[in-house]
Amino acid sequence: MELVIAFLAGFVIAAIGIIAPGMLNMTIARLSVEENRRQALLFSFGSVVIVFFQSFAGTYFAKFLDTNPHITETLKKFGTVIFILLTFFFIYNGIQAKKKRKINVEVKDKRNRFLFGLTLSSLNMFAIPYYGVMSLMLATKDLFHFSIAEIISFSLAASIGTFAIFYIYAVFFRKIEHKVTLLSKNINFFIAIITGIVAMTSLIKMFY
């Protein structure tokens, strides 16, 4: 059951983290439209390989933090502050997105698309701390225990969840392009609601 929870958590966390139009998924959409679906999916495979190692590194590092009892409470408070800041960050992003009409991504590089996906995904420095903080927050709710099996399950699911979103962008972008614009303007508010709820429940648990 613990492995199932870790898998589902990894899938959902990854999907939420990548669903908003950004450099990676818009590059996939552009490749699918301008070249072909195969090239877009090759890029996707390269990207999710990196996602597996990023999520593994983030959760494995979080494991060492979680095993130190003297900093556990500090981490809980730190995590709560992070989610409060993330809530304001996503609200700000949502307001800014309302002012933007379209995300333009130019794909000029003609290298192997798998390697291109590996390279571009490696530049996402936000991924490792993202998975680390999220796994720590799950641990505070006793939903994640940092066993090596759970970490692998979580990381594998993060890769699959990321690929699922990439696949939607690669296959259905032409049909949902107008909806993606709407999504880009509102997804930040949706994520802000989620992080806000997590922050509020953590604050209530902390003081009551």
Side-chain angles (χ1 to χ4, degrees):
M1 188 62 183
E2 292 178 347
L3 292 180
V4 174
I5 293 175
F7 187 90
L8 292 175
F11 186 96
V12 172
I13 288 170
I16 290 175
I18 199 66
I19 193 171
M23 180 62 70
L24 290 174
N25 41 29
M26 293 307 291
T27 298
I28 290 167
R30 195 69 175 252
L31 286 171
S32 181
V33 171
E34 295 185 354
E35 296 184 13
N36 55 61
R37 188 180 301 173
R38 180 177 179 276
Q39 295 301 319
L41 293 178
L42 276 175
F43 178 93
S44 301
F45 282 123
S47 297
V48 299
V49 168
I50 297 300
V51 169
F52 175 84
F53 290 108
Q54 288 172 329
S55 56
F56 187 91
T59 51
Y60 199 77
F61 177 70
K63 172 184 179 180
F64 290 104
L65 296 178
D66 188 65
T67 53
N68 289 277
H70 63 284
I71 63 172
T72 300
E73 289 302 316
T74 301
L75 285 173
K76 289 180 181 179
K77 294 176 182 178
F78 177 72
T80 301
V81 172
I82 290 295
F83 272 91
I84 292 173
L85 293 176
L86 283 174
T87 300
F88 286 108
F89 171 77
F90 284 116
I91 290 174
Y92 173 78
N93 274 359
I95 294 173
Q96 291 299 109
K98 291 285 185 181
K99 302 176 183 179
K100 300 176 182 177
R101 292 185 178 181
K102 190 175 182 181
I103 298 176
N104 292 314
V105 176
E106 292 187 12
V107 182
K108 297 179 179 179
D109 200 314
K110 297 299 181 182
R111 290 178 299 175
N112 179 285
R113 293 311 182 191
F114 180 82
L115 295 178
F116 187 32
L118 286 173
T119 302
L120 204 58
S121 186
S122 299
L123 299 177
N124 181 17
M125 293 295 102
F126 178 71
I128 293 176
Y130 172 71
Y131 288 113
V133 169
M134 295 303 289
S135 61
L136 278 172
M137 291 302 295
L138 288 173
T140 63
K141 308 296 181 183
D142 201 33
L143 295 174
F144 196 75
H145 305 95
F146 295 106
S147 70
I148 191 65
E150 284 183 79
I151 291 175
I152 292 175
S153 178
F154 180 92
S155 302
L156 181 61
S159 298
I160 296 173
T162 301
F163 182 78
I165 300 300
F166 285 169
Y167 186 84
I168 291 172
Y169 272 85
V171 176
F172 301 110
F173 183 75
R174 285 177 176 170
K175 296 180 180 179
I176 64 171
E177 187 171 3
H178 64 288
K179 295 181 180 180
V180 167
T181 301
L182 180 66
L183 175 66
S184 68
K185 294 180 178 180
N186 295 285
I187 188 64
N188 287 289
F189 294 117
F190 174 71
I191 298 176
I193 291 172
I194 295 175
T195 55
I197 291 173
V198 173
M200 287 297 297
T201 54
S202 297
L203 284 172
I204 291 171
K205 187 176 180 180
M206 189 182 301
F207 292 104
Y208 297 99

